[in-house]
């Protein structure tokens, strides 16, 4: 009878780069690396982060990895993961197994009737012809302007809709981390906004989508 090799990692070695896989988490992270690498997205670090995996680019040319966020999110979904933006790091994404009950839609707040239209990159409300153009939310001032405009429209008397708009913008863009960390005004690049919109569309409940 063959005895187990105590020196062999519990989950073998990575077929991607040969690293030892000592835990199931190591194996899952390696699966993410292999998926990205096979699709030509090679300049990434993938590391376990609590119940999720942090994915960050190592390339100085962000266009090489973030110019097609819909494709990126679709790749991870096909591999069995939900992808969201990292609230604490505007340069990283978080991936989680689809069978993790603590993820996707359960972490979204009440959007007050607002829904995300992925193809148009807008937030829309069924009780109004008013919509939010997410691609323009590149600065704190732009976000505040949209909220202020909404308060003067028909939805201005709907406190749930106004509060839901703030929640939706935060769930999608992660405002504190990306636009105003510590009260410091920052700017979001268009490709960063596209990445977060695509990630939100993959993770949000179906009722939150147009």
């Amino acid at each position: 009878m063959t005895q187990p090799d105590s020196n062999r990692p519990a989950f073998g070695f990575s077929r991607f780069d040969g690293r030892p896989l000592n835990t199931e988490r190591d194996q899952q992270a390696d699966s993410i690396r292999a998926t990205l690498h096979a699709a030509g997205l090679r300049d990434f670090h993938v590391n376990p982060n609590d119940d999720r995996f942090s994915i960050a680019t190592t390339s100085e040319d962000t266009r090489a990895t973030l110019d097609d966020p819909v494709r990126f999110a679709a790749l991870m979904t096909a591999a069995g993961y939900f992808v969201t933006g990292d609230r604490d790091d505007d340069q990283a994404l978080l991936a989680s197994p689809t069978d993790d009950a603590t993820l996707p839609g359960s972490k979204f707040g009440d959007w007050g009737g607002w829904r995300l239209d992925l193809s148009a990159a807008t937030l829309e409300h069924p009780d109004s012809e008013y919509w939010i153009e997410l691609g323009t939310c590149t600065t704190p001032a732009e976000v505040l302007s949209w909220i202020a405009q909404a308060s003067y429209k028909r939805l201005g008397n709907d406190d749930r809709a106004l509060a839901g708009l703030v929640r939706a913008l935060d769930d999608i863009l992660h405002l504190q981390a990306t636009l105003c960390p510590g009260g410091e005004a920052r700017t979001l690049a268009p490709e960063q906004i596209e990445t977060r919109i695509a990630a939100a569309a993959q993770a949000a409940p179906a009722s939150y989508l147009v």
Side-chain angles (χ1 to χ4, degrees), residues 84-107:
T84 63
D86 188 341
R87 289 182 179 275
D88 300 318
D89 185 349
D90 62 1
Q91 298 297 319
L93 298 172
L94 295 174
S96 307
T98 56
D99 58 359
D100 186 341
T102 67
L103 280 163
S106 61
K107 289 197 172 182

Side-chain angles (χ1 to χ4, degrees), residues 145-156:
S145 177
W146 280 115
I147 296 171
Q149 288 182 52
S151 71
Y152 283 101
K153 304 296 180 179
R154 176 182 174 184
L155 296 175

Side-chain angles (χ1 to χ4, degrees), residues 16 31-44 55 57-59 61-68 71-72 75-76:
F16 167 59
S31 175
I32 294 175
R33 292 187 195 97
T35 298
L36 296 175
H37 191 274
L41 303 174
R42 301 169 185 269
D43 298 321
F44 276 94
I55 307 173
T57 182
T58 60
S59 172
D61 181 7
T62 57
R63 291 173 302 175
T65 50
L66 297 179
D67 61 353
D68 195 353
R71 175 169 169 257
F72 172 75
L75 279 170
M76 297 312 304

Side-chain angles (χ1 to χ4, degrees), residues 112-115 124-130 154-155 158 160-161:
W114 291 92
R115 296 187 298 170
E124 302 177 2
H125 199 283
D127 294 335
S128 173
E129 296 181 356
Y130 189 67
R154 176 182 174 184
L155 296 175
D158 188 338
R160 178 172 174 264

